[in-house]
Amino acid sequence: EADIYQTPRYLVIGTGKKITLECSQTMGHDKMYWYQQDPGMELHLIHYSYGVNSTEKGDLSSESTVSRIRTEHFPLTLESARPSHTSQYLCASKPTGAQFYNSPLHFGNGTRLTVT
Amino acid sequence: DQQVKQNSPSLSVQEGRISILNCDYTNSMFDYFLWYKKYPAEGPTFLISISSIKDKNEDGRFTVFLNKSAKHLSLHIVPSQPGDSAVYFCAASYTDSNYQLIWGAGTKLIIKP
């Protein structure tokens, strides 16, 4: 079905470390998204991209950054991890085009990040 | 201010019975609604959607009802099965938002054997 991959699945890291969460999709989708989600809470959009070299911040203020050098790859980087960054990070994608406006997002399995 | 609200954090239903999950919204501009299902340690998977021009959409055991005047939608699962135990998220979008999704906080559905 949907081929979108996130690595690592789980990460425990100390405060101050730099980390990169990987997200790749093999569907050729132009639109990609990063969400942050805590238990019992809604998904919050932190970054999105509508194509190569296009990145935008989402609704939730985040200290992370993203890049989109290749269509299939949308990594998220935290320069200095803090305990407040502990959360689940979900990557998603969908195709571009008017016929896909209401197409559902395809999600990866997420990265559960714990910062100690 | 939460624009999409799922007021029941959890719901417990007997296997074989009907599960009804509710979702309320405040923004009258929303014109498309989706339900996603999420298992622990996995990403959400799309379940069913409905456009604001309809009041019902059905797909197998899943039916979504939309009441625009009440700004309310519900997801019915009949009959409920053990594999339906998951967190269910309601999400909404509207044309001028570039179809960005606004999410509810989810309802954890537990199907009892």
Side-chain angles (χ1 to χ4, degrees):
Chain A
E1 161 97 10
D3 295 324
I4 181 163
Y5 306 100
Q6 289 188 246
T7 57
R9 289 292 307 275
Y10 302 92
L11 180 62
V12 180
I13 201 161
T15 297
K17 300 290 186 183
K18 177 180 179 179
I19 58 169
T20 296
L21 308 184
E22 300 289 348
C23 176
S24 294
Q25 48 95 6
T26 59
M27 297 170 285
H29 289 169
D30 285 323
K31 294 184 175 180
M32 295 189 75
Y33 307 80
W34 276 104
Y35 285 90
Q36 187 174 336
Q37 199 251 332
D38 295 312
M41 302 291 289
E42 58 267 43
L43 279 70
H44 288 289
L45 182 66
I46 50 175
H47 295 282
Y48 61 99
S49 167
Y50 287 166
V52 171
N53 295 324
S54 151
T55 61
E56 300 287 344
K57 286 186 181 292
D59 299 326
L60 182 68
S61 174
S62 174
E63 293 162 343
S64 57
T65 59
V66 292
S67 63
R68 190 87 183 276
I69 299 171
R70 302 196 315 268
T71 298
E72 62 271 22
H73 194 215
F74 190 40
L76 180 145
T77 298
L78 278 165
E79 291 292 333
S80 180
R82 295 212 298 260
S84 61
H85 296 139
T86 294
S87 188
Q88 184 179 36
Y89 292 83
L90 295 161
C91 181
S93 72
K94 65 181 286 184
T96 304
Q99 69 272 37
F100 299 116
Y101 276 162
N102 287 322
S103 291
L105 295 172
H106 297 278
F107 281 89
N109 280 330
T111 294
R112 169 65 64 183
L113 174 66
T114 302
V115 183
T116 60
Chain B
D1 181 33
Q2 236 183 327
Q3 298 184 63
V4 176
K5 296 179 184 178
Q6 294 178 256
N7 291 319
S8 298
S10 66
L11 175 68
S12 186
V13 174
Q14 202 72 36
E15 181 180 357
R17 305 294 286 268
I18 183 172
S19 295
I20 299 176
L21 296 102
N22 294 304
C23 178
D24 297 295
Y25 61 95
T26 57
N27 191 337
S28 58
M29 293 177 66
F30 286 143
D31 55 14
Y32 202 75
F33 303 88
L34 305 94
W35 284 93
Y36 283 80
K37 174 180 177 181
K38 184 180 184 298
Y39 292 118
E42 292 186 13
T45 54
F46 171 72
L47 203 53
I48 193 169
S49 61
I50 188 167
S51 164
S52 61
I53 62 173
K54 294 185 174 182
D55 53 19
K56 177 182 175 182
N57 189 25
E58 192 171 352
D59 184 2
R61 295 186 299 115
F62 304 92
T63 303
V64 56
F65 295 92
L66 175 62
N67 182 334
K68 288 185 289 293
S69 61
K71 295 192 180 66
H72 175 82
L73 65 156
S74 60
L75 174 69
H76 292 212
I77 306 173
V78 183
S80 300
Q81 299 174 353
D84 296 330
S85 295
V87 177
Y88 290 78
F89 288 96
C90 171
S93 68
Y94 60 95
T95 307
D96 289 343
S97 72
N98 202 13
Y99 300 92
Q100 301 284 14
L101 291 177
I102 306 298
W103 296 78
T107 295
K108 183 176 183 179
L109 177 64
I110 301 164
I111 305 301
K112 299 179 292 186

